[in-house]
Amino acid sequence: MHYATLGTANGLRPALATVLGDLLDRDVVEAVMVPTRQAHRQVVMQSLITSRSELSGVDPFAPVVTSNAAKLLVALTQRPSGRPVAVVLRSCEVRATIELAKLHQAHLEDILLIGMDCHGRYETNTYLSLASEHEHLSDTFVLQAAGGGGTGLDGQDVATACKICERPVCDGVDLRLALVGADPREQIWLEALTERGREALEAVGLELTEGSPEGRAEATADLVSQRESASGQVLGDFVARTDSVDGLRSVLAGCVNCYNCRVACPVCYCRECVFVTDTFRHDGEQYLAWAQKLGELKLPTDTVFYHLTRMVHMSTLCVGCGQCSSACPNDLPLMELFRTVSRRTQGRFGYVPGQDLQEPQPMATFHDEELGEVTGQTK
């Protein structure tokens, strides 16, 4: 592995904008997809940029993710274009992208993947409130988190999904913006994990050092340990709440079948969901028949069944980004539900979603001897 040092005396954002601009000017890529501050209220959204002059607003360090960008990357890469694009993503977005690429939903041949260390995100409304009070919120947040001051500002903390994310550092990328272990007031690092990444850094004239930056491995292990401890506590408490059917029904009682969680989920990729087909479009006679049989029929129906189906379909691929909980209008703890189930299903298969592009997905792969291994049956 090789890395380059980016001086941040003039700020984090200008340092990154310079590198991205050099990638464009030297024709390493034709465009850059990166979170960018918009014109109003410091809203930060992914933007596709083709000119250095438009890079002044880049702000991937902003502690907000309005949607998991893996779905945006699918739209951008449905077919290989032959036109190279650099894409800046957080760890959960990278991992979802890799899973979608395995499912042939995204094509990464023309993508220079740039991952970044993630200290977490606030819920969007919380971020907007904090941004109105802190002119340089991104720098304030990163400096406080990197300095050991935690991720809370003005009594607000990052999303629970981020506090229990055990993978804050991106793997499976070409380049990695390394903040953990660095002093952001002076420098951050840009690590090359692949040959493509190393060539990109050389093309923009950055001086490369072999190995890993001093102190980074220890700082990363520290952060992961904190996250693992928090994860055990949060998910352990949730298991205790949902150790029965009644417990699960209680947690999901507020579901109104809006399907926002399905739309927000980056790895829920079906073009047509069974829950929006005629299979679950019941007529009035059917509802009345059920009500007559039961005496009372809660409306809307099929809410628990919907979530059980999603868990069966998606728990092996869940990357824990928490967008399902963020999208829920009734604040259901969907992230905790999916993390609890996915911890078991992924553990059963020994599978870590998004870790390796070449690793086959467990529910999409069949081995000749699988039946005998699992059931003891023979042909």
Side-chain angles (χ1 to χ4, degrees):
M1 187 171 68
H2 295 79
Y3 70 93
T5 299
L6 301 184
T8 56
N10 295 321
L12 290 166
R13 294 169 54 215
L16 179 58
T18 297
V19 173
L20 296 179
D22 289 344
L23 288 173
L24 288 172
D25 287 351
R26 302 192 186 189
D27 297 324
V28 177
V29 296
E30 290 190 27
V32 175
M33 191 177 101
V34 58
T36 304
R37 189 178 297 181
Q38 305 301 301
H40 304 290
R41 297 181 64 195
Q42 293 198 49
V43 170
V44 174
M45 305 281 280
Q46 284 281 358
S47 301
L48 191 62
I49 298 173
T50 59
S51 170
R52 178 189 282 270
S53 63
E54 301 301 322
L55 287 169
S56 59
V58 298
D59 198 3
F61 308 104
V64 64
V65 182
T66 50
S67 66
N68 190 303
K71 281 201 167 184
L72 302 175
L73 194 55
V74 166
L76 188 64
T77 65
Q78 287 180 352
R79 295 182 181 84
S81 66
R83 305 177 67 181
V85 178
V87 179
V88 181
L89 302 174
R90 294 171 185 252
S91 176
C92 58
E93 296 175 310
V94 169
R95 287 181 281 120
T97 295
I98 289 173
E99 290 307 300
L100 291 170
K102 293 181 186 181
L103 292 161
H104 307 293
Q105 303 296 303
H107 297 274
L108 304 181
E109 296 92 332
D110 306 315
I111 299 299
L112 180 68
L113 266 181
I114 304 175
M116 60 174 284
D117 291 352
C118 183
H119 289 295
R121 65 172 176 90
Y122 295 107
E123 299 295 355
T124 301
N125 286 337
T126 300
Y127 166 79
L128 292 174
S129 175
L130 290 170
S132 68
E133 300 296 327
H134 296 267
E135 184 179 356
H136 303 291
L137 177 58
S138 299
D139 287 358
T140 301
F141 175 79
V142 172
L143 287 170
Q144 178 170 304
T151 53
L153 287 174
D154 298 353
Q156 303 286 349
D157 209 345
V158 293
T160 303
C162 301
K163 289 191 286 187
I164 67 171
C165 173
E166 305 95 330
R167 294 181 174 81
V169 171
C170 290
D171 293 314
V173 294
D174 299 304
L175 296 171
R176 183 164 58 201
L177 278 167
L179 296 112
V180 175
D183 182 348
R185 294 167 300 182
E186 298 180 3
Q187 64 184 26
I188 58 174
W189 303 296
L190 194 51
E191 298 176 326
L193 276 65
T194 66
E195 185 65 19
R196 177 190 284 182
R198 186 183 64 79
E199 290 174 353
L201 295 186
E202 289 178 342
V204 298
L206 288 173
E207 182 179 343
L208 300 184
T209 303
E210 193 168 350
S212 182
E214 184 179 354
R216 176 162 166 76
E218 295 82 357
T220 300
D222 245 7
L223 179 58
V224 170
S225 177
Q226 294 170 28
R227 299 279 185 88
E228 287 175 340
S229 177
S231 174
Q233 181 67 51
V234 170
L235 299 185
D237 291 346
F238 189 80
V239 168
R241 292 172 57 195
T242 55
D243 62 353
S244 66
V245 174
D246 280 345
L248 181 62
R249 285 176 173 163
S250 177
V251 163
L252 297 174
C255 179
V256 293
N257 274 358
C258 67
Y259 304 144
N260 282 5
C261 54
R262 173 178 65 83
V263 175
C265 177
V267 291
C268 201
Y269 66 93
C270 292
R271 298 295 175 87
E272 183 178 48
C273 177
V274 66
F275 284 93
V276 294
T277 65
D278 288 342
T279 302
F280 288 93
R281 292 191 187 108
H282 313 304
D283 61 26
E285 286 298 321
Q286 182 67 76
Y287 286 122
L288 289 168
W290 283 330
Q292 189 171 24
K293 180 179 180 180
L294 299 172
E296 178 189 4
L297 179 67
K298 182 185 79 68
L299 298 175
T301 60
D302 304 317
T303 51
V304 174
F305 186 41
Y306 162 72
H307 291 286
L308 289 172
T309 302
R310 282 244 311 136
M311 284 187 277
V312 169
H313 283 183
M314 311 313 305
S315 62
T316 54
L317 307 184
C318 176
V319 297
C321 67
Q323 291 293 340
C324 50
S325 287
S326 297
C328 179
N330 290 334
D331 295 324
L332 302 187
L334 300 175
M335 180 280 298
E336 291 89 338
L337 177 62
F338 261 80
R339 280 297 314 273
T340 298
V341 175
S342 66
R343 183 170 61 172
R344 293 173 178 170
T345 54
Q346 292 168 12
R348 174 66 181 82
F349 290 104
Y351 185 72
V352 179
Q355 180 173 260
D356 183 357
L357 183 60
Q358 305 308 318
E359 184 180 9
Q361 293 173 334
M363 299 298 286
T365 308
F366 180 78
H367 302 286
D368 289 343
E369 304 303 320
E370 186 171 298
L371 187 63
E373 291 174 2
V374 175
T375 68
Q377 298 179 34
T378 58
K379 295 179 182 177

